[in-house]
Amino acid sequence: HPASFPERSSRGSRMAPAKFGDIGKAGSSLLSDDYKYEGKCEVKTKLESGVNIKSTFTRSEKDGSIGAVLELKKGVSIVDCTGKLDHKGDATLTLENSTLVPKLKLKADVAANGSSTKVSADYAHDALMTCSTLDLSKSVLALNSSFATNGVTVGASTSFAYGKGKWATPAVSAMYDGSNYQLAASVENMGEKINVFYHQSVSKDVALALNLAQVDKKGVSLSLGSSYKIDKDSSVKAKVDSTGVLSAVYQQKIRPRMTLKVSGQVNTTKLTQENAHKIGVALLMDY
Protein backbone atom coordinates (compact mmCIF):
# COMPACT_ATOMS: atom_id res chain seq x y z
CA HIS A 1 0.00 0.00 0.00
CA PRO A 2 1.14 3.60 -0.52
CA ALA A 3 2.92 4.65 2.65
CA SER A 4 1.60 7.54 4.70
CA PHE A 5 3.86 10.34 5.78
CA PRO A 6 4.13 11.79 9.31
CA GLU A 7 1.36 14.26 9.95
CA ARG A 8 2.06 17.91 10.48
CA SER A 9 0.31 20.17 12.92
CA SER A 10 -1.63 23.26 11.82
CA ARG A 11 1.55 25.30 12.28
CA GLY A 12 3.40 23.14 9.76
CA SER A 13 5.60 21.22 12.21
CA ARG A 14 5.47 17.57 13.17
CA MET A 15 4.22 16.38 16.49
CA ALA A 16 7.46 14.40 16.79
CA PRO A 17 10.19 13.48 14.31
CA ALA A 18 10.76 9.97 13.02
CA LYS A 19 13.07 7.71 14.97
CA PHE A 20 16.55 7.40 13.51
CA GLY A 21 15.79 3.88 12.32
CA ASP A 22 12.61 5.08 10.59
CA ILE A 23 14.27 7.76 8.47
CA GLY A 24 13.46 6.78 4.88
CA LYS A 25 10.97 4.16 6.05
CA ALA A 26 8.38 4.88 3.34
CA GLY A 27 10.75 3.76 0.58
CA SER A 28 12.46 0.96 2.47
CA SER A 29 9.14 -0.56 3.58
CA LEU A 30 7.74 -0.63 0.05
CA LEU A 31 10.87 -2.43 -1.16
CA SER A 32 11.23 -4.89 1.75
CA ASP A 33 8.01 -5.50 3.70
CA ASP A 34 6.01 -8.64 2.81
CA TYR A 35 8.72 -10.08 0.53
CA LYS A 36 9.02 -13.31 2.51
CA TYR A 37 9.51 -16.71 0.93
CA GLU A 38 8.40 -19.07 3.66
CA GLY A 39 5.24 -20.87 4.64
CA LYS A 40 3.41 -19.01 7.41
CA CYS A 41 0.15 -19.26 9.34
CA GLU A 42 -0.67 -16.61 11.92
CA VAL A 43 -3.73 -16.60 14.20
CA LYS A 44 -4.70 -13.71 16.49
CA THR A 45 -7.46 -13.65 19.06
CA LYS A 46 -8.44 -11.77 22.22
CA LEU A 47 -9.87 -13.41 25.33
CA GLU A 48 -12.58 -11.89 27.51
CA SER A 49 -9.90 -11.40 30.18
CA GLY A 50 -8.16 -8.90 27.90
CA VAL A 51 -5.28 -11.19 26.93
CA ASN A 52 -4.23 -10.91 23.29
CA ILE A 53 -2.94 -14.19 21.85
CA LYS A 54 -0.94 -14.60 18.65
CA SER A 55 0.17 -18.00 17.39
CA THR A 56 2.60 -18.14 14.46
CA PHE A 57 3.67 -21.25 12.58
CA THR A 58 6.38 -21.09 9.90
CA ARG A 59 8.16 -23.33 7.43
CA SER A 60 11.72 -22.14 6.82
CA GLU A 61 12.68 -20.96 3.35
CA LYS A 62 16.21 -22.39 3.74
CA ASP A 63 15.77 -25.92 5.06
CA GLY A 64 12.02 -26.48 5.39
CA SER A 65 12.17 -26.75 9.18
CA ILE A 66 9.01 -26.01 11.15
CA GLY A 67 8.92 -23.24 13.73
CA ALA A 68 6.28 -21.89 16.10
CA VAL A 69 5.92 -18.89 18.39
CA LEU A 70 3.20 -18.26 20.98
CA GLU A 71 2.77 -14.64 22.08
CA LEU A 72 0.60 -13.40 24.96
CA LYS A 73 0.02 -9.68 25.61
CA LYS A 74 -1.92 -7.93 28.37
CA GLY A 75 -1.91 -4.59 30.14
CA VAL A 76 -1.31 -4.88 33.88
CA SER A 77 -1.84 -1.61 35.73
CA ILE A 78 0.44 0.91 33.90
CA VAL A 79 2.61 -1.75 32.24
CA ASP A 80 2.05 -3.59 28.95
CA CYS A 81 3.35 -7.14 29.33
CA THR A 82 4.26 -9.39 26.39
CA GLY A 83 5.48 -12.95 26.74
CA LYS A 84 6.82 -15.11 23.90
CA LEU A 85 7.59 -18.82 23.79
CA ASP A 86 8.99 -20.57 20.71
CA HIS A 87 9.10 -24.23 19.68
CA LYS A 88 12.63 -24.59 21.10
CA GLY A 89 11.46 -23.60 24.56
CA ASP A 90 13.09 -20.16 24.49
CA ALA A 91 10.98 -17.60 26.34
CA THR A 92 11.16 -13.81 26.57
CA LEU A 93 9.28 -11.19 28.56
CA THR A 94 8.82 -7.58 27.45
CA LEU A 95 7.56 -4.82 29.77
CA GLU A 96 6.58 -1.40 28.40
CA ASN A 97 5.33 1.85 29.93
CA SER A 98 4.45 5.13 28.20
CA THR A 99 2.59 6.92 31.01
CA LEU A 100 5.03 7.13 33.93
CA VAL A 101 6.75 10.23 32.49
CA PRO A 102 5.17 12.37 29.73
CA LYS A 103 6.68 11.75 26.26
CA LEU A 104 8.95 9.00 27.64
CA LYS A 105 8.58 5.33 26.68
CA LEU A 106 10.38 2.77 28.85
CA LYS A 107 10.94 -0.82 27.80
CA ALA A 108 12.67 -3.90 29.19
CA ASP A 109 13.33 -7.17 27.32
CA VAL A 110 14.46 -10.21 29.30
CA ALA A 111 15.22 -13.73 28.05
CA ALA A 112 14.25 -16.48 30.48
CA ASN A 113 17.55 -18.31 29.94
CA GLY A 114 19.53 -15.16 30.79
CA SER A 115 21.08 -14.87 27.30
CA SER A 116 19.75 -11.36 26.75
CA THR A 117 18.67 -8.43 28.91
CA LYS A 118 17.92 -5.03 27.37
CA VAL A 119 16.55 -1.80 28.80
CA SER A 120 15.56 1.08 26.54
CA ALA A 121 14.17 4.60 26.83
CA ASP A 122 12.67 6.69 24.01
CA TYR A 123 11.94 10.39 24.51
CA ALA A 124 9.77 12.19 21.96
CA HIS A 125 9.74 16.00 21.92
CA ASP A 126 7.99 18.22 19.38
CA ALA A 127 11.16 18.44 17.27
CA LEU A 128 13.50 15.90 18.87
CA MET A 129 13.44 12.11 19.22
CA THR A 130 16.12 10.47 21.36
CA CYS A 131 16.44 6.72 21.88
CA SER A 132 18.83 4.71 24.04
CA THR A 133 19.20 0.97 24.58
CA LEU A 134 21.37 -0.67 27.21
CA ASP A 135 22.26 -4.28 26.36
CA LEU A 136 23.46 -5.72 29.64
CA SER A 137 24.34 -9.10 28.14
CA LYS A 138 26.73 -7.53 25.59
CA SER A 139 27.82 -4.52 27.69
CA VAL A 140 26.80 -2.09 24.93
CA LEU A 141 24.93 1.22 25.13
CA ALA A 142 23.31 2.26 21.83
CA LEU A 143 22.30 5.89 21.30
CA ASN A 144 20.52 7.67 18.47
CA SER A 145 18.72 10.94 18.00
CA SER A 146 16.80 12.73 15.26
CA PHE A 147 15.73 16.34 14.82
CA ALA A 148 13.04 17.70 12.48
CA THR A 149 12.04 21.13 11.22
CA ASN A 150 10.16 22.34 8.14
CA GLY A 151 9.97 18.90 6.55
CA VAL A 152 13.67 18.12 7.05
CA THR A 153 14.80 15.39 9.47
CA VAL A 154 18.42 14.70 10.37
CA GLY A 155 19.73 12.03 12.72
CA ALA A 156 22.82 10.32 14.08
CA SER A 157 23.49 6.98 15.75
CA THR A 158 26.38 5.38 17.62
CA SER A 159 27.09 2.89 20.40
CA PHE A 160 29.52 2.53 23.27
CA ALA A 161 30.95 -0.85 24.31
CA TYR A 162 31.59 0.10 27.93
CA GLY A 163 33.19 -3.26 28.63
CA LYS A 164 35.92 -2.40 26.12
CA GLY A 165 35.74 1.38 26.41
CA LYS A 166 35.21 1.72 22.65
CA TRP A 167 32.85 3.93 20.63
CA ALA A 168 31.40 2.68 17.32
CA THR A 169 31.74 4.73 14.14
CA PRO A 170 28.70 7.04 13.97
CA ALA A 171 26.04 6.71 11.28
CA VAL A 172 24.14 9.73 9.96
CA SER A 173 20.86 10.09 8.05
CA ALA A 174 18.81 12.88 6.52
CA MET A 175 15.31 13.00 5.03
CA TYR A 176 13.02 15.48 3.33
CA ASP A 177 9.23 15.05 3.30
CA GLY A 178 7.44 16.73 0.42
CA SER A 179 3.70 16.90 -0.07
CA ASN A 180 3.58 13.46 -1.71
CA TYR A 181 7.18 12.27 -1.78
CA GLN A 182 10.04 11.42 0.57
CA LEU A 183 13.77 11.51 -0.11
CA ALA A 184 16.24 10.05 2.40
CA ALA A 185 19.94 9.19 2.57
CA SER A 186 22.13 7.46 5.16
CA VAL A 187 25.89 7.01 5.55
CA GLU A 188 27.60 4.36 7.69
CA ASN A 189 31.22 3.37 8.37
CA MET A 190 32.64 6.65 7.12
CA GLY A 191 31.05 6.29 3.68
CA GLU A 192 31.62 2.56 3.13
CA LYS A 193 27.86 2.02 3.20
CA ILE A 194 25.54 4.56 1.57
CA ASN A 195 21.80 4.21 1.09
CA VAL A 196 19.45 6.55 -0.78
CA PHE A 197 15.66 5.99 -0.77
CA TYR A 198 13.04 7.83 -2.78
CA HIS A 199 9.29 7.29 -2.31
CA GLN A 200 6.54 8.85 -4.41
CA SER A 201 2.79 8.60 -3.78
CA VAL A 202 1.45 8.83 -7.32
CA SER A 203 -2.14 8.57 -6.11
CA LYS A 204 -4.02 7.17 -3.13
CA ASP A 205 -3.69 3.71 -4.70
CA VAL A 206 -0.28 3.80 -6.40
CA ALA A 207 3.19 4.37 -4.96
CA LEU A 208 6.73 4.07 -6.33
CA ALA A 209 10.06 3.56 -4.55
CA LEU A 210 13.70 3.65 -5.59
CA ASN A 211 16.82 2.58 -3.69
CA LEU A 212 20.45 3.23 -4.58
CA ALA A 213 22.94 1.50 -2.29
CA GLN A 214 26.68 1.15 -1.99
CA VAL A 215 28.02 -1.45 0.43
CA ASP A 216 31.73 -1.93 1.24
CA LYS A 217 32.83 -0.24 -1.99
CA LYS A 218 31.54 -3.19 -4.04
CA GLY A 219 29.68 -0.94 -6.43
CA VAL A 220 26.20 0.49 -6.56
CA SER A 221 23.03 -1.60 -6.50
CA LEU A 222 19.66 -0.37 -7.70
CA SER A 223 16.15 -1.46 -6.72
CA LEU A 224 12.89 -0.15 -8.16
CA GLY A 225 9.45 -1.09 -6.85
CA SER A 226 5.79 -0.17 -6.93
CA SER A 227 2.62 -0.94 -5.00
CA TYR A 228 -0.97 -0.85 -6.25
CA LYS A 229 -4.14 -1.08 -4.18
CA ILE A 230 -6.52 -2.95 -6.47
CA ASP A 231 -9.56 -2.50 -4.23
CA LYS A 232 -10.40 -2.41 -0.53
CA ASP A 233 -9.59 -6.12 -0.14
CA SER A 234 -6.59 -6.70 -2.41
CA SER A 235 -3.25 -5.20 -3.38
CA VAL A 236 -0.09 -6.09 -5.26
CA LYS A 237 3.58 -5.09 -4.97
CA ALA A 238 6.49 -5.75 -7.30
CA LYS A 239 10.16 -4.85 -7.49
CA VAL A 240 13.24 -5.52 -9.60
CA ASP A 241 16.91 -4.99 -8.77
CA SER A 242 20.11 -4.49 -10.71
CA THR A 243 21.05 -8.18 -10.37
CA GLY A 244 18.02 -9.21 -12.42
CA VAL A 245 15.91 -10.51 -9.55
CA LEU A 246 12.18 -9.88 -9.99
CA SER A 247 9.87 -10.16 -6.95
CA ALA A 248 6.15 -9.74 -6.39
CA VAL A 249 3.61 -10.00 -3.55
CA TYR A 250 -0.17 -10.37 -3.88
CA GLN A 251 -2.41 -9.79 -0.86
CA GLN A 252 -6.09 -10.68 -0.72
CA LYS A 253 -8.63 -10.54 2.10
CA ILE A 254 -10.48 -13.79 1.45
CA ARG A 255 -12.82 -13.46 4.45
CA PRO A 256 -13.61 -10.57 6.83
CA ARG A 257 -10.95 -11.73 9.31
CA MET A 258 -8.69 -13.74 7.02
CA THR A 259 -5.94 -12.50 4.67
CA LEU A 260 -3.84 -14.46 2.20
CA LYS A 261 -0.41 -13.31 1.00
CA VAL A 262 1.44 -14.98 -1.87
CA SER A 263 5.00 -13.93 -2.74
CA GLY A 264 7.34 -15.03 -5.48
CA GLN A 265 10.86 -14.31 -6.68
CA VAL A 266 12.44 -15.08 -10.06
CA ASN A 267 16.14 -14.70 -10.86
CA THR A 268 16.00 -13.74 -14.53
CA THR A 269 19.72 -14.47 -14.98
CA LYS A 270 19.29 -18.10 -13.82
CA LEU A 271 15.94 -19.10 -15.27
CA THR A 272 16.89 -22.77 -15.73
CA GLN A 273 18.92 -23.18 -12.54
CA GLU A 274 17.41 -25.31 -9.80
CA ASN A 275 16.51 -23.55 -6.52
CA ALA A 276 17.14 -20.10 -8.07
CA HIS A 277 13.52 -19.06 -7.61
CA LYS A 278 11.37 -18.73 -4.50
CA ILE A 279 7.74 -18.76 -3.43
CA GLY A 280 6.04 -18.03 -0.13
CA VAL A 281 2.49 -18.29 1.22
CA ALA A 282 1.13 -16.67 4.39
CA LEU A 283 -2.34 -17.02 5.92
CA LEU A 284 -3.24 -14.42 8.54
CA MET A 285 -6.33 -14.80 10.75
CA ASP A 286 -7.66 -12.39 13.38
CA TYR A 287 -10.60 -13.59 15.51
PDB file of all heavy atoms in Angstrom, residues 40-58:
ATOM      1  N   LYS A  40       3.747 -19.647   6.137  1.00  0.00           N
ATOM      2  CA  LYS A  40       3.410 -19.010   7.409  1.00  0.00           C
ATOM      3  C   LYS A  40       1.906 -19.044   7.643  1.00  0.00           C
ATOM      4  O   LYS A  40       1.108 -18.813   6.743  1.00  0.00           O
ATOM      5  CB  LYS A  40       3.888 -17.554   7.412  1.00  0.00           C
ATOM      6  CG  LYS A  40       3.556 -16.787   8.681  1.00  0.00           C
ATOM      7  CD  LYS A  40       4.082 -15.361   8.595  1.00  0.00           C
ATOM      8  CE  LYS A  40       3.728 -14.554   9.821  1.00  0.00           C
ATOM      9  NZ  LYS A  40       4.231 -13.153   9.730  1.00  0.00           N
ATOM     10  N   CYS A  41       1.541 -19.335   8.898  1.00  0.00           N
ATOM     11  CA  CYS A  41       0.155 -19.256   9.340  1.00  0.00           C
ATOM     12  C   CYS A  41       0.133 -18.514  10.666  1.00  0.00           C
ATOM     13  O   CYS A  41       0.822 -18.908  11.611  1.00  0.00           O
ATOM     14  CB  CYS A  41      -0.449 -20.647   9.506  1.00  0.00           C
ATOM     15  SG  CYS A  41      -2.170 -20.622  10.060  1.00  0.00           S
ATOM     16  N   GLU A  42      -0.617 -17.430  10.719  1.00  0.00           N
ATOM     17  CA  GLU A  42      -0.675 -16.607  11.925  1.00  0.00           C
ATOM     18  C   GLU A  42      -2.125 -16.442  12.366  1.00  0.00           C
ATOM     19  O   GLU A  42      -2.993 -16.087  11.568  1.00  0.00           O
ATOM     20  CB  GLU A  42      -0.051 -15.237  11.642  1.00  0.00           C
ATOM     21  CG  GLU A  42      -0.058 -14.289  12.832  1.00  0.00           C
ATOM     22  CD  GLU A  42       0.548 -12.934  12.480  1.00  0.00           C
ATOM     23  OE1 GLU A  42       1.789 -12.855  12.375  1.00  0.00           O
ATOM     24  OE2 GLU A  42      -0.219 -11.971  12.283  1.00  0.00           O
ATOM     25  N   VAL A  43      -2.376 -16.697  13.653  1.00  0.00           N
ATOM     26  CA  VAL A  43      -3.730 -16.598  14.197  1.00  0.00           C
ATOM     27  C   VAL A  43      -3.708 -15.670  15.410  1.00  0.00           C
ATOM     28  O   VAL A  43      -2.927 -15.868  16.338  1.00  0.00           O
ATOM     29  CB  VAL A  43      -4.280 -17.979  14.617  1.00  0.00           C
ATOM     30  CG1 VAL A  43      -5.706 -17.835  15.140  1.00  0.00           C
ATOM     31  CG2 VAL A  43      -4.229 -18.951  13.455  1.00  0.00           C
ATOM     32  N   LYS A  44      -4.574 -14.647  15.376  1.00  0.00           N
ATOM     33  CA  LYS A  44      -4.698 -13.715  16.488  1.00  0.00           C
ATOM     34  C   LYS A  44      -6.089 -13.809  17.085  1.00  0.00           C
ATOM     35  O   LYS A  44      -7.077 -13.981  16.360  1.00  0.00           O
ATOM     36  CB  LYS A  44      -4.469 -12.268  16.024  1.00  0.00           C
ATOM     37  CG  LYS A  44      -3.076 -11.956  15.524  1.00  0.00           C
ATOM     38  CD  LYS A  44      -2.993 -10.492  15.109  1.00  0.00           C
ATOM     39  CE  LYS A  44      -1.624 -10.122  14.581  1.00  0.00           C
ATOM     40  NZ  LYS A  44      -1.573  -8.693  14.149  1.00  0.00           N
ATOM     41  N   THR A  45      -6.166 -13.674  18.395  1.00  0.00           N
ATOM     42  CA  THR A  45      -7.458 -13.650  19.060  1.00  0.00           C
ATOM     43  C   THR A  45      -7.329 -12.908  20.387  1.00  0.00           C
ATOM     44  O   THR A  45      -6.211 -12.709  20.889  1.00  0.00           O
ATOM     45  CB  THR A  45      -7.989 -15.075  19.303  1.00  0.00           C
ATOM     46  OG1 THR A  45      -9.342 -15.001  19.777  1.00  0.00           O
ATOM     47  CG2 THR A  45      -7.146 -15.800  20.339  1.00  0.00           C
ATOM     48  N   LYS A  46      -8.450 -12.485  20.939  1.00  0.00           N
ATOM     49  CA  LYS A  46      -8.444 -11.769  22.220  1.00  0.00           C
ATOM     50  C   LYS A  46      -9.460 -12.409  23.146  1.00  0.00           C
ATOM     51  O   LYS A  46     -10.640 -12.572  22.790  1.00  0.00           O
ATOM     52  CB  LYS A  46      -8.779 -10.289  22.021  1.00  0.00           C
ATOM     53  CG  LYS A  46      -8.658  -9.460  23.285  1.00  0.00           C
ATOM     54  CD  LYS A  46      -8.849  -7.974  23.005  1.00  0.00           C
ATOM     55  CE  LYS A  46      -8.656  -7.154  24.278  1.00  0.00           C
ATOM     56  NZ  LYS A  46      -8.786  -5.694  24.014  1.00  0.00           N
ATOM     57  N   LEU A  47      -8.995 -12.784  24.344  1.00  0.00           N
ATOM     58  CA  LEU A  47      -9.872 -13.413  25.331  1.00  0.00           C
ATOM     59  C   LEU A  47     -10.680 -12.366  26.079  1.00  0.00           C
ATOM     60  O   LEU A  47     -10.356 -11.171  26.082  1.00  0.00           O
ATOM     61  CB  LEU A  47      -9.036 -14.229  26.316  1.00  0.00           C
ATOM     62  CG  LEU A  47      -8.124 -15.307  25.720  1.00  0.00           C
ATOM     63  CD1 LEU A  47      -7.373 -16.027  26.832  1.00  0.00           C
ATOM     64  CD2 LEU A  47      -8.913 -16.284  24.862  1.00  0.00           C
ATOM     65  N   GLU A  48     -11.757 -12.813  26.739  1.00  0.00           N
ATOM     66  CA  GLU A  48     -12.580 -11.895  27.514  1.00  0.00           C
ATOM     67  C   GLU A  48     -11.797 -11.263  28.657  1.00  0.00           C
ATOM     68  O   GLU A  48     -12.125 -10.178  29.131  1.00  0.00           O
ATOM     69  CB  GLU A  48     -13.801 -12.636  28.065  1.00  0.00           C
ATOM     70  CG  GLU A  48     -14.782 -13.097  26.979  1.00  0.00           C
ATOM     71  CD  GLU A  48     -16.007 -13.761  27.576  1.00  0.00           C
ATOM     72  OE1 GLU A  48     -16.070 -13.886  28.823  1.00  0.00           O
ATOM     73  OE2 GLU A  48     -16.898 -14.152  26.801  1.00  0.00           O
ATOM     74  N   SER A  49     -10.733 -11.919  29.091  1.00  0.00           N
ATOM     75  CA  SER A  49      -9.903 -11.397  30.184  1.00  0.00           C
ATOM     76  C   SER A  49      -9.007 -10.242  29.729  1.00  0.00           C
ATOM     77  O   SER A  49      -8.330  -9.622  30.544  1.00  0.00           O
ATOM     78  CB  SER A  49      -9.038 -12.516  30.759  1.00  0.00           C
ATOM     79  OG  SER A  49      -8.189 -13.045  29.755  1.00  0.00           O
ATOM     80  N   GLY A  50      -8.997  -9.971  28.419  1.00  0.00           N
ATOM     81  CA  GLY A  50      -8.164  -8.896  27.904  1.00  0.00           C
ATOM     82  C   GLY A  50      -6.815  -9.349  27.393  1.00  0.00           C
ATOM     83  O   GLY A  50      -6.002  -8.531  26.958  1.00  0.00           O
ATOM     84  N   VAL A  51      -6.557 -10.650  27.407  1.00  0.00           N
ATOM     85  CA  VAL A  51      -5.285 -11.187  26.928  1.00  0.00           C
ATOM     86  C   VAL A  51      -5.327 -11.353  25.412  1.00  0.00           C
ATOM     87  O   VAL A  51      -6.232 -11.995  24.876  1.00  0.00           O
ATOM     88  CB  VAL A  51      -4.967 -12.552  27.578  1.00  0.00           C
ATOM     89  CG1 VAL A  51      -3.670 -13.129  27.020  1.00  0.00           C
ATOM     90  CG2 VAL A  51      -4.866 -12.406  29.095  1.00  0.00           C
ATOM     91  N   ASN A  52      -4.371 -10.742  24.729  1.00  0.00           N
ATOM     92  CA  ASN A  52      -4.234 -10.914  23.286  1.00  0.00           C
ATOM     93  C   ASN A  52      -3.296 -12.082  23.015  1.00  0.00           C
ATOM     94  O   ASN A  52      -2.185 -12.127  23.555  1.00  0.00           O
ATOM     95  CB  ASN A  52      -3.666  -9.644  22.653  1.00  0.00           C
ATOM     96  CG  ASN A  52      -4.651  -8.486  22.702  1.00  0.00           C
ATOM     97  OD1 ASN A  52      -5.579  -8.409  21.903  1.00  0.00           O
ATOM     98  ND2 ASN A  52      -4.451  -7.586  23.664  1.00  0.00           N
ATOM     99  N   ILE A  53      -3.736 -13.002  22.170  1.00  0.00           N
ATOM    100  CA  ILE A  53      -2.945 -14.190  21.852  1.00  0.00           C
ATOM    101  C   ILE A  53      -2.611 -14.196  20.359  1.00  0.00           C
ATOM    102  O   ILE A  53      -3.489 -13.989  19.518  1.00  0.00           O
ATOM    103  CB  ILE A  53      -3.698 -15.477  22.220  1.00  0.00           C
ATOM    104  CG1 ILE A  53      -4.057 -15.486  23.709  1.00  0.00           C
ATOM    105  CG2 ILE A  53      -2.867 -16.706  21.868  1.00  0.00           C
ATOM    106  CD1 ILE A  53      -4.876 -16.688  24.131  1.00  0.00           C
ATOM    107  N   LYS A  54      -1.359 -14.440  20.044  1.00  0.00           N
ATOM    108  CA  LYS A  54      -0.944 -14.595  18.649  1.00  0.00           C
ATOM    109  C   LYS A  54      -0.109 -15.858  18.522  1.00  0.00           C
ATOM    110  O   LYS A  54       0.907 -16.016  19.190  1.00  0.00           O
ATOM    111  CB  LYS A  54      -0.147 -13.383  18.164  1.00  0.00           C
ATOM    112  CG  LYS A  54       0.271 -13.509  16.696  1.00  0.00           C
ATOM    113  CD  LYS A  54       0.849 -12.210  16.156  1.00  0.00           C
ATOM    114  CE  LYS A  54       2.234 -11.947  16.663  1.00  0.00           C
ATOM    115  NZ  LYS A  54       2.856 -10.770  15.992  1.00  0.00           N
ATOM    116  N   SER A  55      -0.563 -16.753  17.661  1.00  0.00           N
ATOM    117  CA  SER A  55       0.167 -17.999  17.390  1.00  0.00           C
ATOM    118  C   SER A  55       0.686 -17.949  15.958  1.00  0.00           C
ATOM    119  O   SER A  55      -0.089 -17.690  15.030  1.00  0.00           O
ATOM    120  CB  SER A  55      -0.744 -19.208  17.578  1.00  0.00           C
ATOM    121  OG  SER A  55      -1.278 -19.246  18.893  1.00  0.00           O
ATOM    122  N   THR A  56       1.985 -18.201  15.784  1.00  0.00           N
ATOM    123  CA  THR A  56       2.596 -18.142  14.463  1.00  0.00           C
ATOM    124  C   THR A  56       3.329 -19.443  14.174  1.00  0.00           C
ATOM    125  O   THR A  56       4.146 -19.892  14.979  1.00  0.00           O
ATOM    126  CB  THR A  56       3.594 -16.968  14.365  1.00  0.00           C
ATOM    127  OG1 THR A  56       2.935 -15.752  14.729  1.00  0.00           O
ATOM    128  CG2 THR A  56       4.138 -16.843  12.950  1.00  0.00           C
ATOM    129  N   PHE A  57       3.014 -20.027  13.021  1.00  0.00           N
ATOM    130  CA  PHE A  57       3.674 -21.252  12.580  1.00  0.00           C
ATOM    131  C   PHE A  57       4.367 -20.965  11.252  1.00  0.00           C
ATOM    132  O   PHE A  57       3.770 -20.365  10.353  1.00  0.00           O
ATOM    133  CB  PHE A  57       2.662 -22.387  12.421  1.00  0.00           C
ATOM    134  CG  PHE A  57       1.855 -22.662  13.661  1.00  0.00           C
ATOM    135  CD1 PHE A  57       0.650 -22.014  13.866  1.00  0.00           C
ATOM    136  CD2 PHE A  57       2.319 -23.555  14.612  1.00  0.00           C
ATOM    137  CE1 PHE A  57      -0.093 -22.252  15.016  1.00  0.00           C
ATOM    138  CE2 PHE A  57       1.584 -23.801  15.763  1.00  0.00           C
ATOM    139  CZ  PHE A  57       0.381 -23.148  15.964  1.00  0.00           C
ATOM    140  N   THR A  58       5.620 -21.381  11.105  1.00  0.00           N
ATOM    141  CA  THR A  58       6.375 -21.092   9.897  1.00  0.00           C
ATOM    142  C   THR A  58       7.094 -22.337   9.381  1.00  0.00           C
ATOM    143  O   THR A  58       7.421 -23.247  10.146  1.00  0.00           O
ATOM    144  CB  THR A  58       7.432 -19.996  10.143  1.00  0.00           C
ATOM    145  OG1 THR A  58       8.312 -20.410  11.201  1.00  0.00           O
ATOM    146  CG2 THR A  58       6.767 -18.676  10.516  1.00  0.00           C
TER     147      THR A  58
END
